[in-house]
Amino acid sequence: MPEFIFAVCQDCGHRRPFAVRQVTCPKCGSEFAEAEYPLDAREGLLAEWRNRDIGLRRFGPLLPLREPERMITLGEGDTPLIPLDHIGQLLGHPKLYAKDERQSPTASFKDRQAALAVSAMKEAGLTEAVVSSTGNVAIAYAAYCARAGIRLTAFLTPTVPADKMRECALYGAHIIKATTSYDASKKLALRFAEERGLFYDRGLRSIPSLESMKTIAFEIAEQLAALEQRPGAPRYVAPDWYVQSISGGLGPIGVGKGFRELHGLGLIDRLPKLAGIQVDGCAPMVSSFARGLATAERVDEPRTRVSTLATGDPGRAYERVKAYIDAHGGAMLAVSDEDGFRAMHQLAKLEGLSMEPGAAVAFAGVIKLIRSGVITPDETVVINCTGHTFPVEPEVLGQQWWRDWETIDTPAQTGSLTPQAEAEGMPAAISRIDTRVRSIAILEDNADSRRLLRRVLQAHSDFAIHEAADGQAGLRLIREQRPDLIILDLMMPGLDGFGVLDALRADEGLRGIPVIVVTARSLSSDERQRLASQVGAVWQKGEFLDDDLLVEVERALK
Ligand SMILES: *Cc1c(COP(=O)(O)O)cnc(C)c1O
Ligand SMILES: [Zn+2]
């Protein structure tokens, strides 16, 4: 732990020793300050990292705690970096990673903030605190305050899903439901805290809160370095992009500071670009950025179903985000709620990552940035993935996403069966669960592509899937199985896709089977014309998403 940490005023540059309770600059009154560490932090950091201590504590030399080893912890930090293989293939973009903050104790990266901020409060001898939150901060603080023996009052707006409020209450926090906007509830909470002389965590104005987010950057740089696995590879590697959905902006600003510090210590050679994604019903930073404004214009009435992202007044956070992007590159982008829900479903069914809509919005943003060429295929992209998956079935799954055993078991009859009849009927019922009346043949030599196509189709419906890795085997398969649809790759060893199409055309019995071509090859106009007469659709790998393909599949099967 460093002997001294300074708080450097962001407005007048005045340096003062850091103290949790001192929230304003003695010289100019500003509430914005950043922590600064002594130069020997580098040595300490390398030593601590060599110790391989777990969790945030190992970053102690760069954290504003007197005794990091006594930090309050629930096992936050050290979250995995998960490659997005299927989505990456669909987008033609191999280096996409989710920094999986869902695996944190209360399922969001706010646990890092709570661990550090609550520990700092405890070091300062505080026993009561106040937060206002769009949900996740309050949950994290409630949990860590429970451990620290700090009484927490949380101001929440009614848009916070009931499940999240209940979780806060379960941790023993006192919940105040303020029927106002999030921005107004922040003001209420501040007044409440001031009048009672309680500590109010001011997010970006709180040094521990901001500093906690650096640990995301430190871990990402360690993890990307570990992926390189060649001798002499650097110990820390910056991604090309860090992407996060933005509400208050604490995350990206703190992560940016983390990368800046690594760079300043000579541990990484460049800073990542930053992409901040908002929802179009509440995108004050995005619209202010697009207009080149120096300060943010606020959104008075946020209109979004993604309550986590409903900060209409970003205040000074905007300037910090803008300054980072102006200096190091990046993008600000808005997506619709629907884009977010769609991405949420895609990440769940194609990657096994179930995240909350607030986080899915960042993934929807990445899809758009890749599509528009802002993020290029050679770039490494790390996306912050967080998530309480509270009930969102209506947004994502539609009405009928389950089947009742009863209707499968006894399709036409009512009344109870004898135990014996029931036992005899079971195999029949079980066979009825698996309907698989529609069958699809996939002819594709690349095993990853086959797996992706299979996954996309099977997550959608009960198709019977047949697969072949070359044209000859594919033709045999088609003759045996008579599939309802063929998905065909063009470049395959031996008989290629064009050869398969010729053989199908020459066979009266097979001629009518619809074909969809999915190819990595860019086609000449001659080839396109040749395909047009025989093929329902031609998709270029990397240029369509799962739903695009499924629309085509359903059309072909009609
Ligand atoms: C907090 C949070 C955000 C917004 O982060 P900020 O850093 O406050 O802008 C986005 N998504 C999720 C899931 C969050 O919990
Ligand atoms: Zn000052």
Side-chain angles (χ1 to χ4, degrees):
M1 110 97 198
E3 195 62 29
F4 290 108
I5 300 161
F6 286 103
V8 181
C9 175
Q10 294 298 288
D11 288 299
C12 77
H14 177 264
R15 293 162 92 237
R16 62 184 190 264
F18 161 67
V20 173
R21 288 166 193 265
Q22 183 169 16
V23 294
T24 56
C25 171
K27 203 165 151 209
C28 79
S30 168
E31 294 181 336
F32 293 89
E34 272 196 354
E36 197 183 89
Y37 300 84
L39 283 174
D40 65 7
R42 181 192 155 96
E43 282 316 303
L45 205 57
L46 290 171
E48 300 267 335
W49 279 346
R50 269 194 295 274
N51 286 341
R52 291 271 111 203
D53 197 357
I54 50 148
L56 304 197
R57 272 185 318 214
R58 76 171 179 283
F59 306 119
L62 285 176
L63 298 179
L65 290 180
R66 306 262 161 238
E67 297 179 292
E69 62 286 354
R70 296 186 56 191
M71 189 171 165
I72 294 160
T73 178
L74 283 162
E76 63 292 330
D78 288 332
T79 55
L81 196 63
I82 297 183
L84 303 178
D85 291 333
H86 284 152
I87 300 273
Q89 263 196 75
L90 278 174
L91 294 167
H93 199 300
K95 293 190 277 188
L96 294 183
Y97 298 92
K99 178 66 173 156
D100 192 6
E101 294 290 301
R102 304 171 317 148
Q103 302 198 26
S104 201
T106 78
S108 89
F109 64 86
K110 307 307 194 305
D111 287 330
R112 297 173 188 268
Q113 179 183 351
L116 203 57
V118 173
S119 296
M121 288 181 210
K122 192 164 172 241
E123 281 189 352
L126 296 167
T127 57
E128 282 197 48
V130 181
V131 286
S132 57
S133 163
T134 56
N136 295 351
V137 166
I139 294 176
Y141 273 67
Y144 285 80
C145 281
R147 287 189 82 74
I150 291 175
R151 180 189 196 273
L152 180 72
T153 306
F155 282 72
L156 299 170
T157 58
T159 55
V160 174
D163 294 47
K164 288 192 175 183
M165 290 202 193
R166 268 196 294 277
E167 197 175 339
C168 277
L170 188 64
Y171 289 127
H174 299 266
I175 310 292
I176 301 198
K177 213 162 149 179
T179 47
T180 56
S181 71
Y182 173 49
D183 299 308
S185 94
K186 277 198 275 199
K187 292 195 182 104
L188 278 180
L190 179 58
R191 274 284 295 280
F192 172 84
E194 278 173 354
E195 280 179 13
R196 281 173 175 66
L198 303 179
F199 182 79
Y200 173 64
D201 190 283
R202 293 150 195 250
L204 187 57
R205 292 172 178 79
S206 151
I207 279 184
S209 292
L210 182 65
E211 295 296 291
S212 70
M213 297 299 167
K214 298 190 313 194
T215 60
I216 298 176
F218 298 161
E219 289 179 19
I220 290 171
E222 288 177 330
Q223 288 169 312
L224 287 175
L227 287 176
E228 294 206 358
Q229 285 189 343
R230 57 183 166 80
R235 304 254 304 280
Y236 306 95
V237 170
D240 294 294
W241 288 86
Y242 172 73
V243 187
Q244 197 198 297
S245 46
I246 298 196
S247 187
L250 185 70
I253 295 168
V255 170
K257 184 169 191 255
F259 284 117
R260 258 173 26 225
E261 285 181 358
L262 287 179
H263 190 249
L265 294 169
L267 294 170
I268 54 174
D269 57 2
R270 69 202 144 93
L271 294 175
K273 291 175 263 193
L274 167 68
I277 318 296
Q278 299 195 295
V279 275
D280 55 15
C282 183
M285 291 212 203
V286 174
S287 58
S288 303
F289 188 81
R291 292 163 56 204
L293 302 182
T295 54
E297 210 159 72
R298 51 169 211 271
V299 170
D300 286 325
E301 285 177 44
R303 287 182 204 285
T304 174
R305 281 169 285 156
V306 185
S307 60
T308 308
L309 302 181
T311 301
D313 183 4
R316 298 279 297 270
Y318 166 72
E319 296 152 45
R320 306 279 283 278
V321 170
K322 181 177 182 333
Y324 185 95
I325 296 179
D326 288 346
H328 310 297
M332 295 288 286
L333 185 75
V335 301
S336 65
D337 287 7
E338 285 68 29
D339 289 336
F341 288 121
R342 183 185 186 208
M344 178 179 178
H345 198 189
Q346 280 163 336
L347 267 297
K349 66 188 176 178
L350 297 182
E351 304 290 356
L353 292 171
S354 162
M355 66 190 75
E356 70 172 86
V361 160
F363 290 79
V366 167
I367 292 171
K368 281 196 166 179
L369 290 170
I370 287 176
R371 280 291 146 76
S372 60
V374 176
I375 294 177
T376 56
D378 55 306
E379 292 184 308
T380 303
V381 181
V382 177
I383 309 149
N384 188 314
C385 171
T386 281
H388 299 258
T389 314
F390 49 86
V392 288
E393 295 99 294
E395 314 283 3
V396 174
L397 296 179
Q399 290 307 315
Q400 195 61 44
W401 46 272
W402 74 93
R403 289 161 70 202
D404 283 317
W405 170 255
E406 275 65 31
T407 61
I408 296 164
D409 188 19
T410 50
Q413 52 196 322
T414 52
S416 55
L417 294 169
T418 64
Q420 196 194 345
E422 198 173 289
E424 282 167 1
M426 197 136 27
I430 286 170
S431 74
R432 276 195 295 274
I433 289 182
D434 203 352
T435 47
R436 304 209 190 172
V437 284
R438 304 183 297 174
S439 71
I440 300 178
I442 301 172
L443 277 59
E444 163 69 71
D445 61 326
N446 180 304
D448 287 339
S449 302
R450 279 204 307 278
R451 189 191 66 231
L452 173 64
L453 289 168
R454 187 195 324 135
R455 180 62 203 150
V456 166
L457 295 166
Q458 289 185 334
H460 174 69
S461 185
D462 248 351
F463 297 120
I465 308 283
H466 309 286
E467 299 173 32
D470 64 64
Q472 286 296 356
L475 269 183
R476 271 198 307 279
L477 183 79
I478 292 166
R479 295 211 165 94
E480 280 161 24
Q481 301 291 342
R482 302 277 155 166
D484 299 301
L485 171 68
I486 299 164
I487 297 185
L488 179 66
D489 182 20
L490 289 180
M491 295 185 293
M492 289 184 288
L495 187 67
D496 70 3
F498 290 105
V500 171
L501 286 170
D502 289 341
L504 292 176
R505 190 170 24 224
D507 186 324
E508 191 130 1
L510 304 181
R511 202 175 289 161
I513 302 177
V515 178
I516 294 175
V517 163
V518 174
T519 180
R521 186 172 136 170
S522 40
L523 298 166
S524 68
S525 61
D526 262 11
E527 288 172 325
R528 281 202 174 271
Q529 229 157 30
R530 197 171 145 205
L531 290 174
S533 60
Q534 214 183 339
V535 163
V538 178
W539 292 98
Q540 208 81 38
K541 286 179 186 173
E543 291 186 1
F544 61 91
L545 284 177
D546 57 334
D547 334 21
D548 303 324
L549 179 69
L550 290 170
V551 167
E552 208 56 60
V553 165
E554 288 296 349
R555 186 180 304 153
L557 286 173
K558 268 219 183 94

